[in-house]
Amino acid sequence: MGSSTFSAGVCAVLLVMYVCCCQAQDCVPLRDEPCKCRMSDGRGLDLTNIATVAQFEKFQGVDGFSYGWSPCSGSLNHGGECKSSEEPAGCQGSTDPSSWLSIGTLRSVVYYFNSTNHPSVATALYSGGTEGRSMSVQLVCTQQSPGDIIELNEQPEKHYNFQLISAEACLRDHIAAASEGSSGSLSAGSILLIVFFVGVLLYFVVGFLFMSSVREAQGTDRIPNKELWTSLPFLIKDGALFVISPCRSSGSKSSDYQNI
């Protein structure tokens, strides 16, 4: 078993190297969203809707085994090592729950397009499964939704090839991460600035009304804490001079005080 595991691992590594070095376009998975990938021009793939389709979580292969694929959540808890492995993207098993094995992890996914001239066909490659197992899903763009997934073959050994024919596999013009949010959302800094300026506005409005109605002040005396605001520029000036005065007096031998 050791030699077969080693050879399967070598095949998986060579396949990943081929994908990374020889393919024309990279589609980089988004952080914390492995079912999405984006190219440098903003286009990419989004398999989010696939994750909600029950038929992809367990389907029959041509070799008699059952398979499951979950490109987003890694929630394939069929049993066995598939359940205990770290975020499995694909699993293989039989009627015995303890027989299920991981054939690829979610975080190992690599997306690539088979040809820059035909971007309707892409591939999602997963590695890191039980005993060096790996899998690839050929993503074929059609008008079917959600479409269908089939097992093609096991080639090389312990590498399982599938094909998804679906509208969800089509290249999209713009891929946005969920963390980017909508264009109308506000950041924490923006919210703090809004609260600050609204507070300042309320301070002056309420203070102006109080000084006018309760204190019966007139003219500029209706400004709340007028003395503070009129003296503020001079206080700022004095503070600035105090800060820079050591720098200005350094190196100077003159002093306003007599030496003792």
Side-chain angles (χ1 to χ4, degrees):
M1 183 178 69
S3 60
S4 61
T5 301
F6 177 77
S7 61
V10 170
C11 290
V13 171
L14 291 176
L15 186 59
V16 171
M17 291 177 62
Y18 169 74
V19 167
C20 295
C21 301
C22 302
Q23 296 303 318
Q25 287 201 41
D26 291 330
C27 196
V28 181
L30 301 189
R31 183 178 181 181
D32 298 325
E33 293 183 89
C35 55
K36 293 181 181 180
C37 72
R38 181 167 54 194
M39 296 185 292
S40 58
D41 59 3
R43 298 182 301 163
L45 298 169
D46 185 355
L47 302 176
T48 304
N49 293 335
I50 295 294
T52 62
V53 181
Q55 72 186 66
F56 298 137
E57 294 183 359
K58 187 175 182 180
F59 56 92
Q60 195 68 26
V62 295
D63 54 6
F65 287 99
S66 295
Y67 292 91
W69 177 47
S70 179
C72 295
S73 62
S75 58
L76 292 170
N77 296 323
H78 290 300
E81 293 190 28
C82 177
K83 184 176 181 179
S84 61
S85 65
E86 181 180 354
E87 295 186 312
C91 291
Q92 177 200 55
S94 62
T95 55
D96 181 6
S98 63
S99 68
W100 283 83
L101 304 172
S102 169
I103 56 174
T105 62
L106 202 63
R107 302 297 169 180
S108 68
V109 64
V110 176
Y111 293 95
Y112 65 94
F113 287 94
N114 297 2
S115 172
T116 54
N117 297 325
H118 300 283
S120 60
V121 179
T123 299
L125 174 65
Y126 303 87
S127 58
T130 305
E131 297 180 352
R133 285 173 169 81
S134 59
M135 65 178 289
S136 60
V137 182
Q138 189 181 58
L139 308 172
V140 182
C141 173
T142 66
Q143 298 304 314
Q144 302 178 44
S145 184
D148 196 13
I149 186 170
I150 58 174
E151 182 197 4
L152 298 177
N153 53 47
E154 179 186 350
Q155 187 178 359
E157 184 182 3
K158 294 185 179 180
H159 180 80
Y160 305 91
N161 299 285
F162 303 89
Q163 185 180 69
L164 172 71
I165 303 175
S166 171
E168 304 301 328
C170 295
L171 182 67
R172 306 195 181 190
D173 292 334
H174 177 70
I175 295 295
S179 58
E180 294 174 0
S182 61
S183 58
S185 61
L186 296 174
S187 64
S190 300
I191 295 174
L192 289 176
L193 287 175
I194 291 174
V195 171
F196 171 77
F197 285 111
V198 170
V200 171
L201 179 62
L202 288 175
Y203 166 79
F204 280 105
V205 171
V206 174
F208 185 87
L209 294 175
F210 175 81
M211 296 297 291
S212 300
S213 58
V214 178
R215 298 289 179 86
E216 297 182 351
Q218 300 293 325
T220 57
D221 292 335
R222 290 178 291 184
I223 300 175
N225 296 316
K226 174 185 174 182
E227 295 78 8
L228 171 65
W229 299 112
T230 54
S231 62
L232 185 61
F234 302 101
L235 293 174
I236 294 175
K237 176 184 176 182
D238 292 341
L241 291 175
F242 176 78
V243 171
I244 66 175
S245 59
C247 301
R248 297 179 59 183
S249 60
S250 61
S252 174
K253 296 182 179 179
S254 61
S255 174
D256 294 336
Y257 300 96
Q258 290 184 344
N259 295 327
I260 299 177

